[in-house]
């Protein structure tokens, strides 16, 4: 079945440092989504990528979708304490599959 | 507009007991799903539904039943609770079929089975 692997599992940075999390799928995806979950909270949608090679930016966050539509990344520039949380990628596969499969998530902690 | 509402927020069960986790959405979304979240495992799909009367299994369906009699409600039933089902459960809904749209999550139910 479709699997979505995400690395690293944990990342601790100093405030102001950059952060990147990577997502890889065992199958080609129709689209990929990114979510953020604050400690004790629920996942909240950040963005969806659909096109091969797509790059989208949200202020300090940059999202990329690979050319083969099997991998994606989220990069945060100059982290702030408000960026603390777990970041998940979630992929939807082809062949009519209606399932959204999540990666294991990357937990980001920040030293102020 | 409440979004996705899950009840209860917390629950303690004894091994072998059954219970139903409730999920309701008021956004007229066709797609609804249940996930469980365990440390280091991310969000794993239990069951999902693409519309009223239609359900299908996700990655970890064993021990759980679902039904979708209305667009709004998607309850998750634990038939005979086991300690391995201790987890945080999230219900989600989204508008899309074919091309996914943003998923909205409920606040979660923290379940402990003793």
């Amino acid at each position: 079945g479709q699997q979505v692997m995400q690395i690293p599992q944990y990342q601790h940075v100093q405030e102001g440092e950059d952060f990147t999390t990577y997502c890889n799928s065992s199958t080609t995806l129709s689209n990929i989504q990114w979510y953020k979950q604050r400690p004790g909270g629920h996942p909240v949608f950040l963005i969806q990528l659909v096109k091969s090679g797509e790059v989208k930016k949200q202020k300090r966050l940059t999202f990329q979708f690979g050319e083969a539509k099997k991998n994606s990344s989220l990069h945060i520039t100059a982290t702030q304490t408000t960026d603390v949380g777990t970041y998940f990628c979630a992929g939807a596969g082809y062949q009519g599959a209606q399932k959204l499969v999540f990666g294991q998530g990357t937990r980001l902690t920040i030293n102020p | 507009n409440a979004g996705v509402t899950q009840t209860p927020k917390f629950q303690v069960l004894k091994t072998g007991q059954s219970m139903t986790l409730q999920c309701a959405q008021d956004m007229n979304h066709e797609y609804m799903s249940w996930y469980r979240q365990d440390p280091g495992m991310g969000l794993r799909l239990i069951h999902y539904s693409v519309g009223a009367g239609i359900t299908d299994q996700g990655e970890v369906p064993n021990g759980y039943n679902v039904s979708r009699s209305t667009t709004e409600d998607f309850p998750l039933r634990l038939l005979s609770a086991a300690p391995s089902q201790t987890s945080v459960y999230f219900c989600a809904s989204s508008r899309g079929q074919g091309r996914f749209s943003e998923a909205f999550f409920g606040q979660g139910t923290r379940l402990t089975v003793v």
Side-chain angles (χ1 to χ4, degrees), chain A residues 2-67:
Chain A
Q2 179 182 327
Q3 288 186 329
V4 177
M5 306 300 291
Q6 193 174 350
I7 57 170
Q9 190 172 354
Y10 302 98
Q11 185 76 57
H12 179 77
V13 300
Q14 291 289 125
E15 188 175 14
E17 290 182 340
D18 292 356
F19 160 76
T20 304
T21 174
Y22 300 90
C23 189
N24 288 286
S25 170
S26 57
T27 59
T28 304
L29 300 170
S30 60
N31 64 70
I32 196 157
Q33 299 179 358
W34 285 91
Y35 291 79
K36 178 183 178 180
Q37 183 179 25
R38 293 183 186 275
H42 59 280
V44 175
F45 177 84
L46 293 175
I47 208 161
Q48 175 173 272
L49 304 172
V50 177
K51 299 177 183 175
S52 170
E54 188 170 14
V55 178
K56 287 189 176 180
K57 293 190 175 184
Q58 289 180 348
K59 297 183 181 179
R60 296 178 293 104
L61 277 63
T62 301
F63 303 85
Q64 292 188 325
F65 200 11
E67 294 290 340

Side-chain angles (χ1 to χ4, degrees), chain A residues 2 9-10 30-31 33 35 37 40-45 48 50 86 88 92-93 97-105, chain B residues 31 35 37 39-43 45 48 50 57-59 90 96-108 110:
Chain A
Q2 179 182 327
Q9 190 172 354
Y10 302 98
S30 60
N31 64 70
Q33 299 179 358
Y35 291 79
Q37 183 179 25
H42 59 280
V44 175
F45 177 84
Q48 175 173 272
V50 177
T86 301
F88 292 97
Q98 298 297 324
K99 295 184 288 188
L100 197 62
V101 178
F102 280 75
Q104 298 94 324
Chain B
Y31 188 88
Y35 293 88
Q37 184 173 30
M41 303 293 288
L43 293 157
L45 183 65
Y48 66 100
V50 299
Q57 295 181 352
E59 304 166 79
F90 287 101
Q97 279 196 13
R99 175 164 288 187
F100 273 80
S101 61
E102 170 184 359
F104 293 83
F105 283 80
Q107 299 293 320
R110 187 173 295 274

Side-chain angles (χ1 to χ4, degrees), chain B residues 36-93:
Chain B
R36 60 177 288 173
Q37 184 173 30
D38 304 293
M41 303 293 288
L43 293 157
R44 291 184 292 169
L45 183 65
I46 305 172
H47 286 285
Y48 66 100
S49 169
V50 299
I54 306 169
T55 63
D56 206 347
Q57 295 181 352
E59 304 166 79
V60 288
N62 293 339
Y64 308 95
N65 272 358
V66 292
S67 60
R68 185 95 179 268
S69 56
T70 67
T71 299
E72 295 77 19
D73 299 299
F74 191 44
L76 177 72
R77 280 182 287 277
L78 279 70
L79 308 174
S80 176
S84 60
Q85 293 179 305
T86 293
S87 188
V88 179
Y89 291 84
F90 287 101
C91 177
S93 75

Side-chain angles (χ1 to χ4, degrees), chain A residues 50-97:
Chain A
V50 177
K51 299 177 183 175
S52 170
E54 188 170 14
V55 178
K56 287 189 176 180
K57 293 190 175 184
Q58 289 180 348
K59 297 183 181 179
R60 296 178 293 104
L61 277 63
T62 301
F63 303 85
Q64 292 188 325
F65 200 11
E67 294 290 340
K69 300 185 77 174
K70 296 180 74 172
N71 61 286
S72 181
S73 64
L74 158 59
H75 179 81
I76 302 178
T77 303
T79 55
Q80 300 175 358
T81 54
T82 53
D83 295 326
V84 164
T86 301
Y87 293 85
F88 292 97
C89 61
Y94 283 110
Q95 300 174 351

